[in-house]
């Protein structure tokens, strides 16, 4: 899981801008995509680097004000996503199928730049390196090279600030947090070069490959205030809840969603079923993503801090508990136990996605099948494990209908659909 | 050789002036066309030669020089294209030589030249569609306000920062300070930019006020272009210009990278009622400037408008000329004989001329060498070539702009050409224009860019959405009687109407 962003100022007054804090806040808004490491690199004739392991507001808070630069890139991720080779820095999301990964891709780009223009060099990378990835590269003179490979599986969105700056980020919400207007997506196979005085574009296609959207982004990964590839994440999640209510109705007095991803899903379920929505939890401390935490203990700490039940919302009620996905069942088991402890009579679990069945070759955060509870147990068996009175998943068809694009425009691999 | 008719002079050498010269040449009265410009524009040159007129290179903002050429050639009517000659009194000096002029004299052109004076005039005369503003004589004077905290209890956090003088469409910055955590960056940028404006405007040496800060509003923009004879204002179809250099409304401010109009007099996202209100605003501004200056307004006049949630049609800037590229759309659609129209403006008989426009959709796309608008030196000096035959076959027209013909044709640093296409709807016209952009290039391999999104279906959808949002809000204000009303609550002072404050300040 990775979030990347890049920003550059335009024109003769570009040196009047300092981008480091824009990057800082943009990355804060992408924090849910990766919590292990954060880096920023800026350019003002030289490259300046800051960052390290840890969350954005621990790692970058000191010194970011002093980093000069009118263009820059940033990443939240596992550490290997950023690399520097000579005059070229690169932040990448996804998996380029190339020995040596992002490091080799960066050095390849760097050597291509010796003899080609930034646009030609970036096009050549997309032509020659298969995989599923997006990247944002920066040279010391502030030129940004932005590329999304023809698979389209790793998202990139474009923002603009008045007459002064342009930016790209994994999600539109990060652009808005930087005060920008979200204006477009980077299209699958598109290369964009911004050098302060021009914006150039080129398009790459791969024989036999059509672009697809990552369905996991809409179910779980993206923030619900993001719009990606022109589809509002919020609208998809509400629709998931509505479809789920049709497919898996329940007799209950209250619907509650597990924060934060499943809250819009719960709203949709409530709307379609007529069962009132209640706010069932309050969170403590920083926002964490419990599915992607490293060790089991860390995950549990995350869940327990994030999900303190609101007794008055569930006491003496039959409850529909809505969550976005099930990885190992740890979160659910804990939550169901806590709800019953706080007075819920029945707990019917409804999951806003089909069972996760396979790891993702482009995204290391979905575990192997033997670590995925949904890949081997039935709905009733899982209900027993987590202590719920019933448990139902969204159907694959329901997911596709909720996203609202044809099946062959979606990657559904983690739900067990090959192709 | 034609040219039994009247001698008409066109001042200026850009795409708009090429379109003006062409519209004159279309007239059934077979006029002889003369031109004075600072660059030799091959499109204008050809029209001038075919009509049997003459072409001279001279500084077009030098009143003596232009008047001298006009009287040497014995021209009867002069049409002024760009704004700078108007600011410098070229219309005045032509009038002194007994040339009939279509173009604002200096005292009228002030309405465009001084953006601050325009705003004051609007408030003084109670013309609707107003914005709050403040002016400064130096950047030092502006500094405190520009740095004011983003929690200031009034409009100053989201502003447009402009040169107080029209500066060729340069130097406007729109800064929303809606993220207190990025306030420092934005405040610093505003101060540095104000310092630049101060220096830049002092270079013109004709205005005391340097910096204008206006409240920031949002909504779709459009230009209303009109003809004035001093008694009647007749307006044409609405046109939308696009100022950002690059696609998806990104990048630095330019003079305009492309414009679209129609089909019909309205834009798809503006209503008839909004059109009428816009005409009313422009009309009242012309009345005001005539009354205050004692001059008769004979010439083109335009309102650059925005549909805002605050008041509906709102005046952003006034032009004492046609827009560029908007003028190209307007004149391409004009079916009335242009010379008849010029004469009616001069004679004060505009009300007796029936103004007719084609109902078609038009799209204009500007082409600019890489480097424009911020590095004009890099953008200049490149050999340029167009296959006009191919363009005509595809249904486009080419209007040469910032190019100079001398031992070949070279770019001079600004928008080199504009391509016009017609269609039954805007996306169709946009696609035709897009196809034609392939027929023009720079011969040395330097980049020539344009915006493919001008008039596209996607752009129209976004404009529609924006207009719907603004309209829903201003209509609700209208119902509740709060159109254009603002209220601040300032700790220690209580409830304040910033508009009343402004009016008090203007009265002194």
């Amino acid at each position: 899981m990775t979030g990347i962003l890049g920003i550059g100022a335009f024109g003769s007054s570009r040196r009047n801008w300092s981008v480091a804090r824009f990057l800082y806040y943009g990355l804060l808004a992408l924090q849910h995509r990766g919590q292990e490491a954060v880096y920023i690199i800026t350019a003002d004739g030289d490259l300046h680097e800051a960052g390290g392991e840890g969350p954005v507001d621990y790692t970058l808070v000191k010194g970011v004000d002093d980093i000069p630069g009118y263009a820059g890139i940033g990443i939240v991720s596992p550490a290997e996503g950023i690399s520097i080779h000579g005059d070229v820095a690169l932040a990448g999301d996804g998996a380029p199928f190339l020995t040596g990964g992002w490091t080799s891709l960066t050095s390849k780009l760097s050597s291509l730049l010796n003899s080609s223009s930034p646009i030609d060099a970036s096009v050549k990378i997309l032509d020659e390196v298969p995989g599923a990835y997006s990247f944002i590269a920066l040279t010391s003179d502030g030129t940004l090279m932005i590329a999304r490979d023809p698979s389209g599986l790793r998202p990139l969105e474009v923002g603009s600030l008045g007459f002064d700056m342009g930016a790209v980020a994994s999600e539109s919400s990060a652009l808005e947090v930087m005060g920008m207007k979200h204006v477009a997506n980077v299209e699958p196979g598109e290369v964009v070069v911004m050098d302060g005085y021009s914006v150039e574009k080129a398009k790459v296609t791969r024989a036999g490959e059509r672009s697809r959207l990552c369905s996991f982004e809409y179910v779980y990964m993206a923030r619900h205030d993001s719009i990606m590839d022109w589809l509002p994440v919020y609208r998809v999640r509400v629709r998931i809840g509505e479809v789920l209510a049709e497919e898996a109705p329940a007799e209950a007095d209250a619907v509650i969603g597990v924060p934060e991803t499943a809250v819009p899903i719960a709203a949709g379920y409530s709307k379609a079923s007529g069962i009132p929505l209640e706010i069932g939890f309050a969170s403590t401390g920083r926002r964490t993503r419990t599915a992607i935490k490293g060790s089991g203990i860390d995950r549990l700490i995350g869940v327990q801090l994030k999900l303190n039940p609101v007794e008055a919302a569930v006491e003496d009620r039959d409850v529909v508990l809505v969550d976005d996905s099930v990885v190992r069942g740890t979160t659910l088991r804990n939550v169901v136990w806590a709800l019953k402890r706080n007075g819920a009579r029945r707990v019917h679990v409804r999951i806003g996605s089909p069972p996760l069945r396979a790891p993702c070759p482009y995204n290391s955060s979905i575990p192997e099948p033997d670590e995925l509870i949904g890949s081997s147990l039935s709905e009733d068996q899982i209900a027993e494990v987590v202590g719920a009175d019933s448990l139902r998943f969204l159907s694959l068809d329901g997911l596709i209908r909720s996203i609202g694009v044809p099946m062959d425009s979606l990657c559904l691999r983690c739900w067990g659909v090959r192709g | 050789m034609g040219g039994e008719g009247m001698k008409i002079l066109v001042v200026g050498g850009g795409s708009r002036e090429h379109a003006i010269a062409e519209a004159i040449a279309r007239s059934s009265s077979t006029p002889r066309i003369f031109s004075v410009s600072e660059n030799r524009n091959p499109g204008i040159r050809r029209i001038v030669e075919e009509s049997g007129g003459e072409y001279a290179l001279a500084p077009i903002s030098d009143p003596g020089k232009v008047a001298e050429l006009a009287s040497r050639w014995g021209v009867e009517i002069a049409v002024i294209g760009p704004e700078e000659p108007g600011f410098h009194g070229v219309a005045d000096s032509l009038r002194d030589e007994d040339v009939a002029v279509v173009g604002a004299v200096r005292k009228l052109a002030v309405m465009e030249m001084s953006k601050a004076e325009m705003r004051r005039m609007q408030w003084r005369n109670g013309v609707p569609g107003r914005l709050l503003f403040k002016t400064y004589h130096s950047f030092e004077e502006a500094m405190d306000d520009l740095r004011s905290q983003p929690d200031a209890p009034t409009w100053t956090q989201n502003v447009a920062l402009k040169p107080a003088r029209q500066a060729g469409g340069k130097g406007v910055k729109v800064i929303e300070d809606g993220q207190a955590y990025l306030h420092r960056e934005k405040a610093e940028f505003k101060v540095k930019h104000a310092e630049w404006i101060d220096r830049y405007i002092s270079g013109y040496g004709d205005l005391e006020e340097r910096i204008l800060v206006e409240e920031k509003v949002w909504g779709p923009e459009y230009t209303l272009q009109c003809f004035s004879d001093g008694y009647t204002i007749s307006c044409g179809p609405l046109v939308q210009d696009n100022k950002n250099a690059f696609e998806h409304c990104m990048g630095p401010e330019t003079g305009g990278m492309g414009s679209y109009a129609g089909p019909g007099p309205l834009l798809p996202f503006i209503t008839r009622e909004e059109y009428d209100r816009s005409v009313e605003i422009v009309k009242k501004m012309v009345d005001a400037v005539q009354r205050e200056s004692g001059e008769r307004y004979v010439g083109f006049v335009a309102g650059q408008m925005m549909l805002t949630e605050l008041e509906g049609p709102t005046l952003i800037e006034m032009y004492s000329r046609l827009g560029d590229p908007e003028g190209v759309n307007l004149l391409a659609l004009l079916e009335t004989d242009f010379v008849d129209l010029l004469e009616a403006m001069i004679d004060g008989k505009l009300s007796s001329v029936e103004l007719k426009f084609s109902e078609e959709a038009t799209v204009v796309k500007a082409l600019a060498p890489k480097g424009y608008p911020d590095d004009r030196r890099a953008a200049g000096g490149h050999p340029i070539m167009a296959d006009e035959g191919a363009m005509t076959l595809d249904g486009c027209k080419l209007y040469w702009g910032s190019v100079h013909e001398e031992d070949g044709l070279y770019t001079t640093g600004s928008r080199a050409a504009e391509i016009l296409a017609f269609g039954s709807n805007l996306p169709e016209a946009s696609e035709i224009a897009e196809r034609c952009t392939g027929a023009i290039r720079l011969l040395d391999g330097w980049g020539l860019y344009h915006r493919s999104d001008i008039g596209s279906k996607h752009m129209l959808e976004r404009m529609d959405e924006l207009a719907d949002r603004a309209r829903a809000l201003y209509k609700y204000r209208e119902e509740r009687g709060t159109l254009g009303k603002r209220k601040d609550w300032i700790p220690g002072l209580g409830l304040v109407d910033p508009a009343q404050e402004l009016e008090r300040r203007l009265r002194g």
Side-chain angles (χ1 to χ4, degrees), chain A residues 362-392:
Chain A
Y362 321 119
N363 173 354
S364 55
S365 59
I366 300 176
E368 292 297 317
D370 60 359
E371 280 190 59
L372 294 170
I373 194 169
S375 73
S376 51
L377 300 190
S378 71
E379 289 178 331
D380 290 348
Q381 285 173 317
I382 301 171
E384 259 181 80
V385 171
V386 302
D389 297 282
S390 74
L391 181 143
R392 298 283 299 278

Side-chain angles (χ1 to χ4, degrees), chain A residues 10-13 15-18 21-22 25 65 158-167 176-179 181-185 194-201 230, chain B residues 172-176 179-186 188-189 192-193 196 243-254 370-375 449 458 462 466:
Chain A
F10 290 114
S12 45
S13 54
R15 282 176 186 275
N16 291 347
W17 285 107
S18 165
R21 295 217 306 182
F22 285 83
Y25 288 101
D65 288 5
V158 186
S160 171
L161 192 146
F163 293 123
D164 291 292
M165 290 204 265
E176 287 167 0
V177 168
M178 292 193 288
K181 201 166 95 188
H182 173 217
V183 293
N185 58 345
M194 289 176 21
D195 69 3
Y197 290 92
S198 67
V199 174
E200 279 183 87
K201 291 180 183 179
W230 309 111
Chain B
V172 176
K173 297 288 180 191
V174 180
I175 311 286
E176 284 185 58
Q179 291 76 28
Y181 47 87
L182 294 171
H183 170 71
R184 197 192 64 167
E185 277 71 11
K186 290 179 180 173
E188 281 314 299
F189 180 81
K192 285 177 190 159
H193 185 64
W196 176 87
K243 294 286 183 194
N244 288 93
F246 311 123
E247 266 152 44
H248 304 305
C249 299
M250 189 193 273
E253 186 192 26
T254 68
K370 184 178 166 177
Y372 175 77
D374 272 320
D375 189 354
Y449 73 90
H458 177 72
R462 301 225 71 172
L466 194 59

Side-chain angles (χ1 to χ4, degrees), chain A residues 258-288:
Chain A
V258 176
E260 304 198 18
T261 319
V263 173
I265 304 178
Y269 194 101
S270 163
K271 197 160 75 169
S273 65
I275 304 169
L277 181 73
E278 301 284 350
I279 306 303
F281 303 98
S283 301
T284 306
R286 76 175 54 244
R287 188 178 175 224
T288 57

Side-chain angles (χ1 to χ4, degrees), chain B residues 270-414:
Chain B
I270 299 292
T271 65
R272 168 54 70 174
E273 186 199 356
E274 286 156 1
Y275 178 96
D276 292 342
R277 270 156 85 160
S278 306
V279 171
E280 211 44 46
I281 290 171
V282 170
K283 219 173 144 157
K284 285 188 167 146
M285 286 304 287
V286 173
D287 287 347
V289 74
Q290 290 195 121
R291 200 164 46 241
E292 292 191 3
S293 67
E295 296 279 0
R296 190 181 134 215
Y297 200 118
V298 178
F300 312 115
V301 60
Q304 201 209 314
M305 313 291 301
M306 185 187 275
L307 193 72
T308 69
E309 62 89 21
L310 188 65
E311 212 178 332
T314 301
L315 186 60
I316 301 298
E317 285 183 11
M318 286 295 292
Y319 296 159
S320 53
R321 54 176 165 103
L322 296 178
D324 188 0
E326 302 100 302
V328 175
N329 300 75
L330 182 85
L331 294 175
L333 292 165
L334 180 69
E335 288 177 344
T336 309
D337 188 294
F338 191 47
V339 172
D340 289 351
L341 185 57
L342 295 175
E343 286 185 290
M345 285 157 80
I346 291 160
D347 297 340
K349 290 181 178 156
L350 200 52
S351 62
S352 63
V353 174
E354 194 198 353
L355 208 51
K356 280 180 75 180
F357 291 95
S358 155
E359 291 285 305
E360 280 169 291
T362 53
V363 169
V364 174
K365 293 194 181 191
L367 294 111
K370 184 178 166 177
Y372 175 77
D374 272 320
D375 189 354
R376 296 192 188 213
R377 205 177 312 167
H382 303 283
I384 185 167
M385 207 262 315
D387 184 348
E388 292 188 54
M391 269 189 219
T392 311
L393 280 179
D394 275 335
C396 299
K397 276 187 175 178
L398 176 71
Y399 294 91
W400 286 110
S402 177
V403 290
H404 182 55
E405 197 180 31
E406 192 179 349
D407 302 326
L409 190 60
Y410 293 89
T411 63
T412 53
S414 184

Side-chain angles (χ1 to χ4, degrees), chain B residues 80-226:
Chain B
I80 299 177
E83 64 275 19
E84 281 296 334
F87 300 167
H88 287 89
V90 168
D92 304 62
S93 70
L94 284 165
R95 189 173 61 182
D96 292 346
E97 295 292 323
D98 289 328
V99 177
V101 188
V102 175
V105 295
R106 208 178 47 78
K107 280 184 184 167
L108 296 168
V110 159
M111 186 167 59
E112 170 167 12
M113 179 171 120
S114 168
K115 299 178 187 188
E117 188 50 35
M118 180 284 262
R119 230 12 123 193
R120 274 194 295 268
M121 203 182 296
Q122 193 185 13
W123 281 93
R124 262 199 309 267
N125 291 281
V127 180
R130 291 172 289 199
L131 296 177
L132 300 173
F133 74 102
K134 254 179 130 167
T135 61
Y136 306 90
H137 290 79
S138 70
F139 95 94
E140 288 92 344
E141 197 185 298
M143 206 137 73
D144 281 351
D145 279 355
L146 293 175
R147 285 206 173 121
S148 76
Q149 289 303 311
D151 62 351
T154 185
W155 58 278
T156 51
Q157 54 172 299
N158 296 329
V159 299
L161 176 58
K162 300 176 171 185
R165 183 195 195 279
Q166 172 65 271
K170 252 184 107 165
V172 176
K173 297 288 180 191
V174 180
I175 311 286
E176 284 185 58
D177 206 354
Q179 291 76 28
Y181 47 87
L182 294 171
H183 170 71
R184 197 192 64 167
E185 277 71 11
K186 290 179 180 173
E188 281 314 299
F189 180 81
K190 282 194 274 190
V191 168
K192 285 177 190 159
H193 185 64
E195 196 178 349
W196 176 87
I197 292 177
D198 192 343
R199 258 198 329 270
Y200 192 76
I201 297 306
S202 72
Y204 284 100
D206 50 11
L207 277 186
E208 287 298 309
E209 284 166 312
R210 303 277 162 79
I211 297 159
L212 173 67
V213 174
E214 282 180 347
E215 76 182 305
K216 203 248 171 204
V217 280
W218 57 269
E221 288 186 76
Y222 56 96
T223 308
L224 175 72
Q225 302 175 96
C226 309

Side-chain angles (χ1 to χ4, degrees), chain B residues 10-22:
Chain B
V10 177
V11 179
S15 298
R16 169 184 45 210
E17 290 73 35
H18 183 173
I20 289 173
E22 190 203 62

